[in-house]
Amino acid sequence: MTMTTTTKADVVVHHRLEGSDGLSDLIATAEKLLEPFPRRPAHVFTPWFASPSSRSHPPPIKPAKDAPVIRAAESNLNLGGRGVSGPLAKPPPTPENRSWNVLACRGACGSGSRSEAGPSSSKGFRGAVSAHGLHPRQRSKWIITQHNCGAARDIQQVWRTLNRAARAGGLPTCNATIRRERSEIWVFCDVLYSETVGRFLKERLRLTGSIALSVHKHGKVFSLG
């Protein structure tokens, strides 16, 4: 057996072990050799939180008091300055948008060229198309608002009338959607037929006031009163 020291705190004991019977003797001999060296007891681990078995010092990750229990019959909430008593009410459902597409051209769909309007277009509409450089096949949309429905109807009633007109084939190349959260109906069509479609909407839906024609990146380009 030989003993060497590598650092001030490390002691290495070399011993050739012959058989398993000498293991206990080796441990006892090593302990005797290490007795002259100073020993530093290991630090006892002290957790930063109290023991879970201690009732006087509960762990800080758990509140000292339980959460209060709110009964439905005793609830009284204040939402946006309005008091709501009684059981909690479910939020109103999100309005759904409905849309349809009508793509029948009825033989009236030509190829078209830039800055060209339909044969029945007015001078003012042809001027708007030319001023904005719109292509006849560019999509545009008529915006129908609650203001256009009149006092006796709502946007949903106008939407049903529009659906009946679409099924009758009166809106070629058109598609439409109802935006209930905005109380608006958007009717999309080619610029080539947009003024004709606008007149059809005004007459068939009996719209009041003026409706606006909007084109992407241009905004409102024309209105029909």
mmCIF file with all atom_site columns, all heavy atoms in Angstrom, residues 119-147:
data_model
loop_
_atom_site.group_PDB
_atom_site.id
_atom_site.type_symbol
_atom_site.label_atom_id
_atom_site.label_alt_id
_atom_site.label_comp_id
_atom_site.label_asym_id
_atom_site.label_entity_id
_atom_site.label_seq_id
_atom_site.pdbx_PDB_ins_code
_atom_site.Cartn_x
_atom_site.Cartn_y
_atom_site.Cartn_z
_atom_site.occupancy
_atom_site.B_iso_or_equiv
_atom_site.pdbx_formal_charge
_atom_site.auth_seq_id
_atom_site.auth_comp_id
_atom_site.auth_asym_id
_atom_site.auth_atom_id
_atom_site.pdbx_PDB_model_num
ATOM 1   N N   . PRO A 1 119 ? -71.338 48.986 -72.096 1.00 0.00 ? 119 PRO A N   1
ATOM 2   C CA  . PRO A 1 119 ? -71.973 49.820 -73.123 1.00 0.00 ? 119 PRO A CA  1
ATOM 3   C C   . PRO A 1 119 ? -73.042 50.745 -72.567 1.00 0.00 ? 119 PRO A C   1
ATOM 4   O O   . PRO A 1 119 ? -73.327 51.794 -73.150 1.00 0.00 ? 119 PRO A O   1
ATOM 5   C CB  . PRO A 1 119 ? -72.554 48.780 -74.081 1.00 0.00 ? 119 PRO A CB  1
ATOM 6   C CG  . PRO A 1 119 ? -72.693 47.526 -73.263 1.00 0.00 ? 119 PRO A CG  1
ATOM 7   C CD  . PRO A 1 119 ? -71.562 47.551 -72.302 1.00 0.00 ? 119 PRO A CD  1
ATOM 8   N N   . SER A 1 120 ? -73.674 50.365 -71.417 1.00 0.00 ? 120 SER A N   1
ATOM 9   C CA  . SER A 1 120 ? -74.724 51.206 -70.845 1.00 0.00 ? 120 SER A CA  1
ATOM 10  C C   . SER A 1 120 ? -74.207 52.088 -69.719 1.00 0.00 ? 120 SER A C   1
ATOM 11  O O   . SER A 1 120 ? -75.008 52.634 -68.961 1.00 0.00 ? 120 SER A O   1
ATOM 12  C CB  . SER A 1 120 ? -75.865 50.312 -70.334 1.00 0.00 ? 120 SER A CB  1
ATOM 13  O OG  . SER A 1 120 ? -75.381 49.421 -69.335 1.00 0.00 ? 120 SER A OG  1
ATOM 14  N N   . SER A 1 121 ? -72.907 52.243 -69.602 1.00 0.00 ? 121 SER A N   1
ATOM 15  C CA  . SER A 1 121 ? -72.342 53.046 -68.525 1.00 0.00 ? 121 SER A CA  1
ATOM 16  C C   . SER A 1 121 ? -72.561 54.525 -68.786 1.00 0.00 ? 121 SER A C   1
ATOM 17  O O   . SER A 1 121 ? -72.566 54.992 -69.932 1.00 0.00 ? 121 SER A O   1
ATOM 18  C CB  . SER A 1 121 ? -70.842 52.757 -68.387 1.00 0.00 ? 121 SER A CB  1
ATOM 19  O OG  . SER A 1 121 ? -70.625 51.398 -68.089 1.00 0.00 ? 121 SER A OG  1
ATOM 20  N N   . SER A 1 122 ? -72.708 55.263 -67.690 1.00 0.00 ? 122 SER A N   1
ATOM 21  C CA  . SER A 1 122 ? -72.896 56.700 -67.797 1.00 0.00 ? 122 SER A CA  1
ATOM 22  C C   . SER A 1 122 ? -71.567 57.397 -68.029 1.00 0.00 ? 122 SER A C   1
ATOM 23  O O   . SER A 1 122 ? -70.493 56.803 -67.851 1.00 0.00 ? 122 SER A O   1
ATOM 24  C CB  . SER A 1 122 ? -73.554 57.225 -66.521 1.00 0.00 ? 122 SER A CB  1
ATOM 25  O OG  . SER A 1 122 ? -72.690 57.033 -65.404 1.00 0.00 ? 122 SER A OG  1
ATOM 26  N N   . LYS A 1 123 ? -71.657 58.648 -68.424 1.00 0.00 ? 123 LYS A N   1
ATOM 27  C CA  . LYS A 1 123 ? -70.448 59.422 -68.664 1.00 0.00 ? 123 LYS A CA  1
ATOM 28  C C   . LYS A 1 123 ? -69.639 59.594 -67.385 1.00 0.00 ? 123 LYS A C   1
ATOM 29  O O   . LYS A 1 123 ? -68.402 59.524 -67.388 1.00 0.00 ? 123 LYS A O   1
ATOM 30  C CB  . LYS A 1 123 ? -70.823 60.779 -69.261 1.00 0.00 ? 123 LYS A CB  1
ATOM 31  C CG  . LYS A 1 123 ? -69.632 61.661 -69.590 1.00 0.00 ? 123 LYS A CG  1
ATOM 32  C CD  . LYS A 1 123 ? -70.073 62.974 -70.207 1.00 0.00 ? 123 LYS A CD  1
ATOM 33  C CE  . LYS A 1 123 ? -68.875 63.875 -70.517 1.00 0.00 ? 123 LYS A CE  1
ATOM 34  N NZ  . LYS A 1 123 ? -69.311 65.187 -71.111 1.00 0.00 ? 123 LYS A NZ  1
ATOM 35  N N   . GLY A 1 124 ? -70.336 59.809 -66.275 1.00 0.00 ? 124 GLY A N   1
ATOM 36  C CA  . GLY A 1 124 ? -69.631 59.974 -65.001 1.00 0.00 ? 124 GLY A CA  1
ATOM 37  C C   . GLY A 1 124 ? -68.900 58.722 -64.575 1.00 0.00 ? 124 GLY A C   1
ATOM 38  O O   . GLY A 1 124 ? -67.785 58.782 -64.058 1.00 0.00 ? 124 GLY A O   1
ATOM 39  N N   . PHE A 1 125 ? -69.515 57.560 -64.806 1.00 0.00 ? 125 PHE A N   1
ATOM 40  C CA  . PHE A 1 125 ? -68.857 56.311 -64.431 1.00 0.00 ? 125 PHE A CA  1
ATOM 41  C C   . PHE A 1 125 ? -67.647 56.043 -65.318 1.00 0.00 ? 125 PHE A C   1
ATOM 42  O O   . PHE A 1 125 ? -66.596 55.618 -64.838 1.00 0.00 ? 125 PHE A O   1
ATOM 43  C CB  . PHE A 1 125 ? -69.849 55.152 -64.520 1.00 0.00 ? 125 PHE A CB  1
ATOM 44  C CG  . PHE A 1 125 ? -69.247 53.823 -64.178 1.00 0.00 ? 125 PHE A CG  1
ATOM 45  C CD1 . PHE A 1 125 ? -68.959 53.503 -62.871 1.00 0.00 ? 125 PHE A CD1 1
ATOM 46  C CD2 . PHE A 1 125 ? -68.962 52.893 -65.169 1.00 0.00 ? 125 PHE A CD2 1
ATOM 47  C CE1 . PHE A 1 125 ? -68.391 52.275 -62.548 1.00 0.00 ? 125 PHE A CE1 1
ATOM 48  C CE2 . PHE A 1 125 ? -68.402 51.674 -64.865 1.00 0.00 ? 125 PHE A CE2 1
ATOM 49  C CZ  . PHE A 1 125 ? -68.118 51.362 -63.544 1.00 0.00 ? 125 PHE A CZ  1
ATOM 50  N N   . ARG A 1 126 ? -67.796 56.296 -66.640 1.00 0.00 ? 126 ARG A N   1
ATOM 51  C CA  . ARG A 1 126 ? -66.660 56.093 -67.530 1.00 0.00 ? 126 ARG A CA  1
ATOM 52  C C   . ARG A 1 126 ? -65.507 57.017 -67.160 1.00 0.00 ? 126 ARG A C   1
ATOM 53  O O   . ARG A 1 126 ? -64.340 56.640 -67.232 1.00 0.00 ? 126 ARG A O   1
ATOM 54  C CB  . ARG A 1 126 ? -67.080 56.321 -68.985 1.00 0.00 ? 126 ARG A CB  1
ATOM 55  C CG  . ARG A 1 126 ? -68.028 55.259 -69.528 1.00 0.00 ? 126 ARG A CG  1
ATOM 56  C CD  . ARG A 1 126 ? -68.118 55.343 -71.047 1.00 0.00 ? 126 ARG A CD  1
ATOM 57  N NE  . ARG A 1 126 ? -68.639 56.634 -71.485 1.00 0.00 ? 126 ARG A NE  1
ATOM 58  C CZ  . ARG A 1 126 ? -69.939 56.885 -71.687 1.00 0.00 ? 126 ARG A CZ  1
ATOM 59  N NH1 . ARG A 1 126 ? -70.840 55.928 -71.490 1.00 0.00 ? 126 ARG A NH1 1
ATOM 60  N NH2 . ARG A 1 126 ? -70.324 58.072 -72.108 1.00 0.00 ? 126 ARG A NH2 1
ATOM 61  N N   . GLY A 1 127 ? -65.823 58.230 -66.702 1.00 0.00 ? 127 GLY A N   1
ATOM 62  C CA  . GLY A 1 127 ? -64.775 59.149 -66.264 1.00 0.00 ? 127 GLY A CA  1
ATOM 63  C C   . GLY A 1 127 ? -64.067 58.649 -65.021 1.00 0.00 ? 127 GLY A C   1
ATOM 64  O O   . GLY A 1 127 ? -62.840 58.780 -64.895 1.00 0.00 ? 127 GLY A O   1
ATOM 65  N N   . ALA A 1 128 ? -64.832 58.030 -64.080 1.00 0.00 ? 128 ALA A N   1
ATOM 66  C CA  . ALA A 1 128 ? -64.211 57.491 -62.862 1.00 0.00 ? 128 ALA A CA  1
ATOM 67  C C   . ALA A 1 128 ? -63.306 56.321 -63.191 1.00 0.00 ? 128 ALA A C   1
ATOM 68  O O   . ALA A 1 128 ? -62.207 56.183 -62.636 1.00 0.00 ? 128 ALA A O   1
ATOM 69  C CB  . ALA A 1 128 ? -65.302 57.069 -61.876 1.00 0.00 ? 128 ALA A CB  1
ATOM 70  N N   . VAL A 1 129 ? -63.743 55.471 -64.118 1.00 0.00 ? 129 VAL A N   1
ATOM 71  C CA  . VAL A 1 129 ? -62.918 54.328 -64.515 1.00 0.00 ? 129 VAL A CA  1
ATOM 72  C C   . VAL A 1 129 ? -61.623 54.801 -65.163 1.00 0.00 ? 129 VAL A C   1
ATOM 73  O O   . VAL A 1 129 ? -60.533 54.290 -64.883 1.00 0.00 ? 129 VAL A O   1
ATOM 74  C CB  . VAL A 1 129 ? -63.707 53.412 -65.468 1.00 0.00 ? 129 VAL A CB  1
ATOM 75  C CG1 . VAL A 1 129 ? -62.805 52.335 -66.052 1.00 0.00 ? 129 VAL A CG1 1
ATOM 76  C CG2 . VAL A 1 129 ? -64.878 52.769 -64.733 1.00 0.00 ? 129 VAL A CG2 1
ATOM 77  N N   . SER A 1 130 ? -61.739 55.805 -66.025 1.00 0.00 ? 130 SER A N   1
ATOM 78  C CA  . SER A 1 130 ? -60.551 56.323 -66.705 1.00 0.00 ? 130 SER A CA  1
ATOM 79  C C   . SER A 1 130 ? -59.620 57.041 -65.734 1.00 0.00 ? 130 SER A C   1
ATOM 80  O O   . SER A 1 130 ? -58.396 56.917 -65.828 1.00 0.00 ? 130 SER A O   1
ATOM 81  C CB  . SER A 1 130 ? -60.976 57.260 -67.837 1.00 0.00 ? 130 SER A CB  1
ATOM 82  O OG  . SER A 1 130 ? -59.860 57.834 -68.475 1.00 0.00 ? 130 SER A OG  1
ATOM 83  N N   . ALA A 1 131 ? -60.185 57.811 -64.803 1.00 0.00 ? 131 ALA A N   1
ATOM 84  C CA  . ALA A 1 131 ? -59.359 58.581 -63.871 1.00 0.00 ? 131 ALA A CA  1
ATOM 85  C C   . ALA A 1 131 ? -58.526 57.675 -62.965 1.00 0.00 ? 131 ALA A C   1
ATOM 86  O O   . ALA A 1 131 ? -57.383 58.009 -62.634 1.00 0.00 ? 131 ALA A O   1
ATOM 87  C CB  . ALA A 1 131 ? -60.238 59.498 -63.032 1.00 0.00 ? 131 ALA A CB  1
ATOM 88  N N   . HIS A 1 132 ? -59.068 56.544 -62.577 1.00 0.00 ? 132 HIS A N   1
ATOM 89  C CA  . HIS A 1 132 ? -58.354 55.626 -61.678 1.00 0.00 ? 132 HIS A CA  1
ATOM 90  C C   . HIS A 1 132 ? -57.617 54.530 -62.440 1.00 0.00 ? 132 HIS A C   1
ATOM 91  O O   . HIS A 1 132 ? -56.925 53.708 -61.828 1.00 0.00 ? 132 HIS A O   1
ATOM 92  C CB  . HIS A 1 132 ? -59.323 54.988 -60.684 1.00 0.00 ? 132 HIS A CB  1
ATOM 93  C CG  . HIS A 1 132 ? -59.896 55.949 -59.696 1.00 0.00 ? 132 HIS A CG  1
ATOM 94  N ND1 . HIS A 1 132 ? -61.059 56.670 -59.928 1.00 0.00 ? 132 HIS A ND1 1
ATOM 95  C CD2 . HIS A 1 132 ? -59.459 56.339 -58.470 1.00 0.00 ? 132 HIS A CD2 1
ATOM 96  C CE1 . HIS A 1 132 ? -61.325 57.427 -58.887 1.00 0.00 ? 132 HIS A CE1 1
ATOM 97  N NE2 . HIS A 1 132 ? -60.373 57.248 -57.982 1.00 0.00 ? 132 HIS A NE2 1
ATOM 98  N N   . GLY A 1 133 ? -57.745 54.500 -63.764 1.00 0.00 ? 133 GLY A N   1
ATOM 99  C CA  . GLY A 1 133 ? -57.053 53.492 -64.546 1.00 0.00 ? 133 GLY A CA  1
ATOM 100 C C   . GLY A 1 133 ? -57.496 52.075 -64.221 1.00 0.00 ? 133 GLY A C   1
ATOM 101 O O   . GLY A 1 133 ? -56.670 51.168 -64.133 1.00 0.00 ? 133 GLY A O   1
ATOM 102 N N   . LEU A 1 134 ? -58.809 51.876 -64.033 1.00 0.00 ? 134 LEU A N   1
ATOM 103 C CA  . LEU A 1 134 ? -59.326 50.572 -63.628 1.00 0.00 ? 134 LEU A CA  1
ATOM 104 C C   . LEU A 1 134 ? -59.466 49.647 -64.832 1.00 0.00 ? 134 LEU A C   1
ATOM 105 O O   . LEU A 1 134 ? -59.834 50.079 -65.927 1.00 0.00 ? 134 LEU A O   1
ATOM 106 C CB  . LEU A 1 134 ? -60.687 50.735 -62.941 1.00 0.00 ? 134 LEU A CB  1
ATOM 107 C CG  . LEU A 1 134 ? -60.727 51.678 -61.737 1.00 0.00 ? 134 LEU A CG  1
ATOM 108 C CD1 . LEU A 1 134 ? -62.137 51.769 -61.176 1.00 0.00 ? 134 LEU A CD1 1
ATOM 109 C CD2 . LEU A 1 134 ? -59.755 51.220 -60.662 1.00 0.00 ? 134 LEU A CD2 1
ATOM 110 N N   . HIS A 1 135 ? -59.174 48.385 -64.613 1.00 0.00 ? 135 HIS A N   1
ATOM 111 C CA  . HIS A 1 135 ? -59.347 47.371 -65.649 1.00 0.00 ? 135 HIS A CA  1
ATOM 112 C C   . HIS A 1 135 ? -60.773 46.823 -65.568 1.00 0.00 ? 135 HIS A C   1
ATOM 113 O O   . HIS A 1 135 ? -61.326 46.665 -64.474 1.00 0.00 ? 135 HIS A O   1
ATOM 114 C CB  . HIS A 1 135 ? -58.342 46.240 -65.462 1.00 0.00 ? 135 HIS A CB  1
ATOM 115 C CG  . HIS A 1 135 ? -58.246 45.323 -66.635 1.00 0.00 ? 135 HIS A CG  1
ATOM 116 N ND1 . HIS A 1 135 ? -59.155 44.311 -66.862 1.00 0.00 ? 135 HIS A ND1 1
ATOM 117 C CD2 . HIS A 1 135 ? -57.344 45.274 -67.662 1.00 0.00 ? 135 HIS A CD2 1
ATOM 118 C CE1 . HIS A 1 135 ? -58.828 43.666 -67.968 1.00 0.00 ? 135 HIS A CE1 1
ATOM 119 N NE2 . HIS A 1 135 ? -57.732 44.224 -68.470 1.00 0.00 ? 135 HIS A NE2 1
ATOM 120 N N   . PRO A 1 136 ? -61.413 46.534 -66.713 1.00 0.00 ? 136 PRO A N   1
ATOM 121 C CA  . PRO A 1 136 ? -62.794 46.029 -66.673 1.00 0.00 ? 136 PRO A CA  1
ATOM 122 C C   . PRO A 1 136 ? -62.948 44.750 -65.864 1.00 0.00 ? 136 PRO A C   1
ATOM 123 O O   . PRO A 1 136 ? -64.012 44.508 -65.303 1.00 0.00 ? 136 PRO A O   1
ATOM 124 C CB  . PRO A 1 136 ? -63.116 45.801 -68.154 1.00 0.00 ? 136 PRO A CB  1
ATOM 125 C CG  . PRO A 1 136 ? -62.211 46.718 -68.891 1.00 0.00 ? 136 PRO A CG  1
ATOM 126 C CD  . PRO A 1 136 ? -60.953 46.787 -68.093 1.00 0.00 ? 136 PRO A CD  1
ATOM 127 N N   . ARG A 1 137 ? -61.913 43.915 -65.796 1.00 0.00 ? 137 ARG A N   1
ATOM 128 C CA  . ARG A 1 137 ? -62.001 42.677 -65.042 1.00 0.00 ? 137 ARG A CA  1
ATOM 129 C C   . ARG A 1 137 ? -61.547 42.839 -63.595 1.00 0.00 ? 137 ARG A C   1
ATOM 130 O O   . ARG A 1 137 ? -61.503 41.858 -62.835 1.00 0.00 ? 137 ARG A O   1
ATOM 131 C CB  . ARG A 1 137 ? -61.160 41.585 -65.720 1.00 0.00 ? 137 ARG A CB  1
ATOM 132 C CG  . ARG A 1 137 ? -61.719 41.175 -67.069 1.00 0.00 ? 137 ARG A CG  1
ATOM 133 C CD  . ARG A 1 137 ? -63.144 40.703 -66.939 1.00 0.00 ? 137 ARG A CD  1
ATOM 134 N NE  . ARG A 1 137 ? -63.765 40.451 -68.232 1.00 0.00 ? 137 ARG A NE  1
ATOM 135 C CZ  . ARG A 1 137 ? -65.062 40.425 -68.425 1.00 0.00 ? 137 ARG A CZ  1
ATOM 136 N NH1 . ARG A 1 137 ? -65.874 40.655 -67.413 1.00 0.00 ? 137 ARG A NH1 1
ATOM 137 N NH2 . ARG A 1 137 ? -65.557 40.174 -69.620 1.00 0.00 ? 137 ARG A NH2 1
ATOM 138 N N   . GLN A 1 138 ? -61.214 44.047 -63.192 1.00 0.00 ? 138 GLN A N   1
ATOM 139 C CA  . GLN A 1 138 ? -60.832 44.300 -61.808 1.00 0.00 ? 138 GLN A CA  1
ATOM 140 C C   . GLN A 1 138 ? -62.067 44.222 -60.922 1.00 0.00 ? 138 GLN A C   1
ATOM 141 O O   . GLN A 1 138 ? -63.150 44.674 -61.297 1.00 0.00 ? 138 GLN A O   1
ATOM 142 C CB  . GLN A 1 138 ? -60.176 45.678 -61.688 1.00 0.00 ? 138 GLN A CB  1
ATOM 143 C CG  . GLN A 1 138 ? -59.522 45.959 -60.347 1.00 0.00 ? 138 GLN A CG  1
ATOM 144 C CD  . GLN A 1 138 ? -58.702 47.240 -60.387 1.00 0.00 ? 138 GLN A CD  1
ATOM 145 O OE1 . GLN A 1 138 ? -58.515 47.827 -61.450 1.00 0.00 ? 138 GLN A OE1 1
ATOM 146 N NE2 . GLN A 1 138 ? -58.208 47.665 -59.247 1.00 0.00 ? 138 GLN A NE2 1
ATOM 147 N N   . ARG A 1 139 ? -61.914 43.622 -59.754 1.00 0.00 ? 139 ARG A N   1
ATOM 148 C CA  . ARG A 1 139 ? -63.057 43.449 -58.868 1.00 0.00 ? 139 ARG A CA  1
ATOM 149 C C   . ARG A 1 139 ? -63.320 44.725 -58.084 1.00 0.00 ? 139 ARG A C   1
ATOM 150 O O   . ARG A 1 139 ? -62.401 45.423 -57.644 1.00 0.00 ? 139 ARG A O   1
ATOM 151 C CB  . ARG A 1 139 ? -62.822 42.297 -57.907 1.00 0.00 ? 139 ARG A CB  1
ATOM 152 C CG  . ARG A 1 139 ? -62.662 40.949 -58.568 1.00 0.00 ? 139 ARG A CG  1
ATOM 153 C CD  . ARG A 1 139 ? -63.887 40.531 -59.332 1.00 0.00 ? 139 ARG A CD  1
ATOM 154 N NE  . ARG A 1 139 ? -64.913 39.954 -58.481 1.00 0.00 ? 139 ARG A NE  1
ATOM 155 C CZ  . ARG A 1 139 ? -66.092 39.549 -58.928 1.00 0.00 ? 139 ARG A CZ  1
ATOM 156 N NH1 . ARG A 1 139 ? -66.410 39.726 -60.216 1.00 0.00 ? 139 ARG A NH1 1
ATOM 157 N NH2 . ARG A 1 139 ? -66.976 39.013 -58.113 1.00 0.00 ? 139 ARG A NH2 1
ATOM 158 N N   . SER A 1 140 ? -64.580 45.012 -57.912 1.00 0.00 ? 140 SER A N   1
ATOM 159 C CA  . SER A 1 140 ? -65.024 46.158 -57.127 1.00 0.00 ? 140 SER A CA  1
ATOM 160 C C   . SER A 1 140 ? -66.170 45.689 -56.237 1.00 0.00 ? 140 SER A C   1
ATOM 161 O O   . SER A 1 140 ? -66.687 44.578 -56.410 1.00 0.00 ? 140 SER A O   1
ATOM 162 C CB  . SER A 1 140 ? -65.487 47.303 -58.048 1.00 0.00 ? 140 SER A CB  1
ATOM 163 O OG  . SER A 1 140 ? -66.556 46.856 -58.878 1.00 0.00 ? 140 SER A OG  1
ATOM 164 N N   . LYS A 1 141 ? -66.561 46.517 -55.295 1.00 0.00 ? 141 LYS A N   1
ATOM 165 C CA  . LYS A 1 141 ? -67.650 46.105 -54.402 1.00 0.00 ? 141 LYS A CA  1
ATOM 166 C C   . LYS A 1 141 ? -68.564 47.274 -54.102 1.00 0.00 ? 141 LYS A C   1
ATOM 167 O O   . LYS A 1 141 ? -68.124 48.408 -53.891 1.00 0.00 ? 141 LYS A O   1
ATOM 168 C CB  . LYS A 1 141 ? -67.097 45.520 -53.098 1.00 0.00 ? 141 LYS A CB  1
ATOM 169 C CG  . LYS A 1 141 ? -66.430 46.519 -52.170 1.00 0.00 ? 141 LYS A CG  1
ATOM 170 C CD  . LYS A 1 141 ? -65.986 45.845 -50.883 1.00 0.00 ? 141 LYS A CD  1
ATOM 171 C CE  . LYS A 1 141 ? -65.267 46.846 -49.963 1.00 0.00 ? 141 LYS A CE  1
ATOM 172 N NZ  . LYS A 1 141 ? -64.793 46.223 -48.725 1.00 0.00 ? 141 LYS A NZ  1
ATOM 173 N N   . TRP A 1 142 ? -69.852 46.985 -54.126 1.00 0.00 ? 142 TRP A N   1
ATOM 174 C CA  . TRP A 1 142 ? -70.868 47.922 -53.671 1.00 0.00 ? 142 TRP A CA  1
ATOM 175 C C   . TRP A 1 142 ? -71.101 47.679 -52.189 1.00 0.00 ? 142 TRP A C   1
ATOM 176 O O   . TRP A 1 142 ? -71.233 46.533 -51.753 1.00 0.00 ? 142 TRP A O   1
ATOM 177 C CB  . TRP A 1 142 ? -72.171 47.736 -54.441 1.00 0.00 ? 142 TRP A CB  1
ATOM 178 C CG  . TRP A 1 142 ? -72.138 48.219 -55.863 1.00 0.00 ? 142 TRP A CG  1
ATOM 179 C CD1 . TRP A 1 142 ? -72.045 47.468 -56.989 1.00 0.00 ? 142 TRP A CD1 1
ATOM 180 C CD2 . TRP A 1 142 ? -72.198 49.583 -56.284 1.00 0.00 ? 142 TRP A CD2 1
ATOM 181 N NE1 . TRP A 1 142 ? -72.033 48.271 -58.110 1.00 0.00 ? 142 TRP A NE1 1
ATOM 182 C CE2 . TRP A 1 142 ? -72.131 49.582 -57.706 1.00 0.00 ? 142 TRP A CE2 1
ATOM 183 C CE3 . TRP A 1 142 ? -72.288 50.809 -55.634 1.00 0.00 ? 142 TRP A CE3 1
ATOM 184 C CZ2 . TRP A 1 142 ? -72.158 50.754 -58.460 1.00 0.00 ? 142 TRP A CZ2 1
ATOM 185 C CZ3 . TRP A 1 142 ? -72.328 51.972 -56.382 1.00 0.00 ? 142 TRP A CZ3 1
ATOM 186 C CH2 . TRP A 1 142 ? -72.260 51.941 -57.779 1.00 0.00 ? 142 TRP A CH2 1
ATOM 187 N N   . ILE A 1 143 ? -71.167 48.752 -51.425 1.00 0.00 ? 143 ILE A N   1
ATOM 188 C CA  . ILE A 1 143 ? -71.343 48.650 -49.972 1.00 0.00 ? 143 ILE A CA  1
ATOM 189 C C   . ILE A 1 143 ? -72.746 49.131 -49.625 1.00 0.00 ? 143 ILE A C   1
ATOM 190 O O   . ILE A 1 143 ? -73.099 50.293 -49.866 1.00 0.00 ? 143 ILE A O   1
ATOM 191 C CB  . ILE A 1 143 ? -70.285 49.481 -49.224 1.00 0.00 ? 143 ILE A CB  1
ATOM 192 C CG1 . ILE A 1 143 ? -68.877 49.020 -49.604 1.00 0.00 ? 143 ILE A CG1 1
ATOM 193 C CG2 . ILE A 1 143 ? -70.486 49.362 -47.715 1.00 0.00 ? 143 ILE A CG2 1
ATOM 194 C CD1 . ILE A 1 143 ? -67.777 49.865 -48.995 1.00 0.00 ? 143 ILE A CD1 1
ATOM 195 N N   . ILE A 1 144 ? -73.540 48.220 -49.083 1.00 0.00 ? 144 ILE A N   1
ATOM 196 C CA  . ILE A 1 144 ? -74.900 48.534 -48.637 1.00 0.00 ? 144 ILE A CA  1
ATOM 197 C C   . ILE A 1 144 ? -74.886 48.591 -47.117 1.00 0.00 ? 144 ILE A C   1
ATOM 198 O O   . ILE A 1 144 ? -74.499 47.619 -46.454 1.00 0.00 ? 144 ILE A O   1
ATOM 199 C CB  . ILE A 1 144 ? -75.901 47.478 -49.125 1.00 0.00 ? 144 ILE A CB  1
ATOM 200 C CG1 . ILE A 1 144 ? -75.856 47.360 -50.657 1.00 0.00 ? 144 ILE A CG1 1
ATOM 201 C CG2 . ILE A 1 144 ? -77.306 47.798 -48.656 1.00 0.00 ? 144 ILE A CG2 1
ATOM 202 C CD1 . ILE A 1 144 ? -76.696 46.217 -51.203 1.00 0.00 ? 144 ILE A CD1 1
ATOM 203 N N   . THR A 1 145 ? -75.290 49.715 -46.563 1.00 0.00 ? 145 THR A N   1
ATOM 204 C CA  . THR A 1 145 ? -75.288 49.903 -45.116 1.00 0.00 ? 145 THR A CA  1
ATOM 205 C C   . THR A 1 145 ? -76.720 49.894 -44.580 1.00 0.00 ? 145 THR A C   1
ATOM 206 O O   . THR A 1 145 ? -77.694 49.864 -45.339 1.00 0.00 ? 145 THR A O   1
ATOM 207 C CB  . THR A 1 145 ? -74.600 51.223 -44.747 1.00 0.00 ? 145 THR A CB  1
ATOM 208 O OG1 . THR A 1 145 ? -75.380 52.321 -45.251 1.00 0.00 ? 145 THR A OG1 1
ATOM 209 C CG2 . THR A 1 145 ? -73.202 51.297 -45.359 1.00 0.00 ? 145 THR A CG2 1
ATOM 210 N N   . GLN A 1 146 ? -76.826 49.921 -43.259 1.00 0.00 ? 146 GLN A N   1
ATOM 211 C CA  . GLN A 1 146 ? -78.148 49.983 -42.646 1.00 0.00 ? 146 GLN A CA  1
ATOM 212 C C   . GLN A 1 146 ? -78.891 51.243 -43.057 1.00 0.00 ? 146 GLN A C   1
ATOM 213 O O   . GLN A 1 146 ? -80.123 51.250 -43.162 1.00 0.00 ? 146 GLN A O   1
ATOM 214 C CB  . GLN A 1 146 ? -78.011 49.918 -41.115 1.00 0.00 ? 146 GLN A CB  1
ATOM 215 C CG  . GLN A 1 146 ? -79.320 49.974 -40.346 1.00 0.00 ? 146 GLN A CG  1
ATOM 216 C CD  . GLN A 1 146 ? -80.238 48.804 -40.669 1.00 0.00 ? 146 GLN A CD  1
ATOM 217 O OE1 . GLN A 1 146 ? -79.805 47.657 -40.718 1.00 0.00 ? 146 GLN A OE1 1
ATOM 218 N NE2 . GLN A 1 146 ? -81.517 49.095 -40.885 1.00 0.00 ? 146 GLN A NE2 1
ATOM 219 N N   . HIS A 1 147 ? -78.164 52.309 -43.343 1.00 0.00 ? 147 HIS A N   1
ATOM 220 C CA  . HIS A 1 147 ? -78.782 53.562 -43.776 1.00 0.00 ? 147 HIS A CA  1
ATOM 221 C C   . HIS A 1 147 ? -79.533 53.380 -45.093 1.00 0.00 ? 147 HIS A C   1
ATOM 222 O O   . HIS A 1 147 ? -80.547 54.050 -45.340 1.00 0.00 ? 147 HIS A O   1
ATOM 223 C CB  . HIS A 1 147 ? -77.713 54.647 -43.921 1.00 0.00 ? 147 HIS A CB  1
ATOM 224 C CG  . HIS A 1 147 ? -78.209 55.915 -44.532 1.00 0.00 ? 147 HIS A CG  1
ATOM 225 N ND1 . HIS A 1 147 ? -79.016 56.804 -43.847 1.00 0.00 ? 147 HIS A ND1 1
ATOM 226 C CD2 . HIS A 1 147 ? -78.022 56.448 -45.775 1.00 0.00 ? 147 HIS A CD2 1
ATOM 227 C CE1 . HIS A 1 147 ? -79.296 57.833 -44.638 1.00 0.00 ? 147 HIS A CE1 1
ATOM 228 N NE2 . HIS A 1 147 ? -78.710 57.647 -45.812 1.00 0.00 ? 147 HIS A NE2 1
#
